[in-house]
């Protein structure tokens, strides 16, 4: 299958980087969103390659300082300035963004096609998102992008442990933020402060519970309920008190606790059965939610049971 957008290996090749781990979500209809981590600690001085021209943007969170960055658009140098770690930059793929790679660099790149930006703008009376407001080579101090980037880097480091619902949730939030902050989209008035109907809550929870691995997409569940992804996510949180990905983690822990009451069942088997990638992943999540490790919880539970 041919890759559609500028992310992953296609982006890595353009930026002269051999490693380009990527997380992808298709939570907005047919639009693909992606985040790619690109790093090169020993680059061969050269200008970056041309990327595919398309109606999309790259939003970049810089993870390392890059002094005297020479930025190009449409075949000419447009600015030369110091890039600071923690800053956010925008690049319009219609304008052939490139820069001179002559120093080590490390960045996250969010691939945001216009179709995705317009999807979050599709509300009654809502305008389409126009051109994003940015100046080539000028960074923004964007706390939201830093937070999303830090959260998704964990998934990029451990892709086998990534909860797809979490990736969908974070990328949806980022797309809405970019549309509002750089595209002039006004935050929509809440159509209703109510949550899901009881039958919707049951169906959504059943669908999530049927696949504890978290591979099911938010778009699929929302479509089954006749809702947009953003409406579903908001209403689900109102009804259950948790966003879908957090609710699923709670269900994984609940399932693991039930399995741990079976004596002599190895924790490694319990981890896989409860939807975790491996025992290490299970231990980290369980400890963060319950406050003790699975082994300690099991010993305490067994001790209490032996006394009865």
């Amino acid at each position: 299958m041919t890759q559609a957008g500028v992310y992953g290996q296609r982006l890595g090749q353009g930026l002269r980087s051999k490693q380009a781990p990527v997380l992808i979500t298709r939570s907005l209809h047919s639009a693909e969103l992606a985040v790619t981590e690109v790093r090169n600690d020993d680059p061969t001085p050269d200008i970056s390659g041309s990327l595919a021209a398309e109606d999309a943007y790259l939003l970049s969170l810089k993870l390392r300082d890059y002094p005297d960055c020479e930025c190009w658009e449409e075949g000419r140098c447009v600015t030369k300035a110091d890039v600071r770690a923690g800053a956010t930059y925008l690049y319009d793929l219609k304008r052939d963004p490139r820069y001179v790679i002559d120093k080590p660099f490390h960045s996250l790149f969010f691939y945001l096609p216009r179709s995705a930006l317009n999807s979050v703008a599709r509300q009654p009376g809502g305008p389409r998102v126009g051109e994003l407001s940015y100046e080539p080579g000028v960074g923004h101090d964007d706390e939201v992008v830093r937070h999303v980037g830090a959260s998704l880097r964990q998934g990029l480091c451990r892709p086998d442990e990534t909860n797809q619902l979490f990736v969908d949730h974070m990328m949806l939030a980022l797309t809405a933020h970019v549309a509002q902050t750089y595209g002039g989209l006004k935050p929509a008035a809440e159509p209703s402060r109510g949550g899901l109907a009881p039958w919707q809550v049951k169906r959504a929870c059943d669908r999530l519970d049927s696949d504890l691995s978290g591979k099911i997409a938010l778009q699929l569940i929302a479509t089954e309920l006749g809702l947009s992804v953003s409406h579903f996510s908001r209403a689900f949180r109102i009804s259950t008190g948790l966003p879908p990905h957090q609710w699923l983690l709670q269900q994984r822990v609940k399932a693991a606790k039930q399995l741990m009451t079976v004596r002599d069942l190895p924790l490694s088997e319990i981890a896989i059965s409860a939807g975790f990638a491996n025992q290490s992943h299970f231990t980290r999540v369980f400890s963060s939610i319950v406050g003790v490790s699975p082994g300690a919880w099991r010993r305490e539970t067994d001790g209490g049971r032996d006394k009865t």
Side-chain angles (χ1 to χ4, degrees), residues 16 18 39-45 64 101-105:
R16 320 299 188 198
K18 295 180 181 178
R39 178 174 185 166
N40 192 333
D41 293 325
D42 187 24
T44 301
R64 180 173 185 164
I101 300 174
D102 56 1
K103 292 172 284 289
F105 68 90

Side-chain angles (χ1 to χ4, degrees), residues 77-214:
C77 178
V78 291
T79 186
K80 189 172 184 179
D82 293 341
V83 167
R84 299 299 182 193
T88 293
Y89 290 78
L90 279 160
Y91 306 97
D92 187 341
L93 286 171
K94 298 191 302 297
R95 299 168 68 173
D96 188 24
R98 306 171 75 180
Y99 65 94
V100 175
I101 300 174
D102 56 1
K103 292 172 284 289
F105 68 90
H106 189 190
S107 304
L108 291 184
F109 287 89
F110 296 89
Y111 170 72
L112 302 172
R114 183 175 300 281
S115 57
L117 294 168
N118 283 327
S119 287
V120 301
R122 284 194 192 119
Q123 294 148 2
R128 293 171 66 85
V129 175
E131 297 294 320
L132 298 188
S133 175
Y134 81 100
E135 293 181 47
V138 176
H140 301 267
D141 181 16
D142 195 319
E143 185 176 355
V144 172
V145 175
R146 284 197 296 272
H147 170 70
V148 172
S151 299
L152 290 176
R153 279 193 72 195
Q154 298 300 313
L156 288 162
C157 292
R158 300 189 180 99
D160 58 329
E161 300 177 10
T162 301
N163 182 336
Q164 186 61 46
L165 291 171
F166 175 69
V167 177
D168 291 351
H169 175 82
M170 297 303 290
M171 291 299 289
L172 177 66
L174 177 78
T175 304
H177 168 73
V178 170
Q180 292 170 10
T181 304
Y182 305 102
L185 180 67
K186 301 296 182 183
E190 295 288 339
S192 170
R193 293 192 178 276
L196 299 171
W199 71 268
Q200 292 175 316
V201 175
K202 184 179 185 307
R203 182 175 295 183
C205 290
D206 285 347
R207 290 293 273 134
L208 291 169
D209 221 4
S210 69
D211 184 4
L212 290 177
S213 67

Side-chain angles (χ1 to χ4, degrees), residues 249-274 276 279 282-287 289-306:
L249 287 180
Q250 295 284 355
Q251 294 307 108
R252 286 181 182 174
V253 169
K254 181 179 177 181
K257 285 181 175 179
Q258 291 174 339
L259 290 168
M260 279 193 288
T261 62
V262 179
R263 291 182 184 275
D264 302 323
L265 189 62
L267 291 179
S268 58
E269 292 184 20
I270 292 172
I272 300 300
S273 297
F276 296 97
Q279 186 174 338
F282 170 41
T283 298
R284 280 196 300 276
V285 174
F286 189 96
S287 301
I289 291 177
V290 180
V292 295
S293 70
W297 185 90
R298 188 180 221 178
R299 288 191 295 273
E300 291 171 4
T301 303
D302 284 346
R305 189 165 55 236
D306 290 341

Side-chain angles (χ1 to χ4, degrees), residues 228-245:
S228 68
V229 176
S230 57
H231 185 181
F232 166 68
S233 297
R234 181 174 61 248
F236 185 91
R237 184 168 191 165
I238 292 171
S239 294
T240 66
L242 294 168
H245 67 277

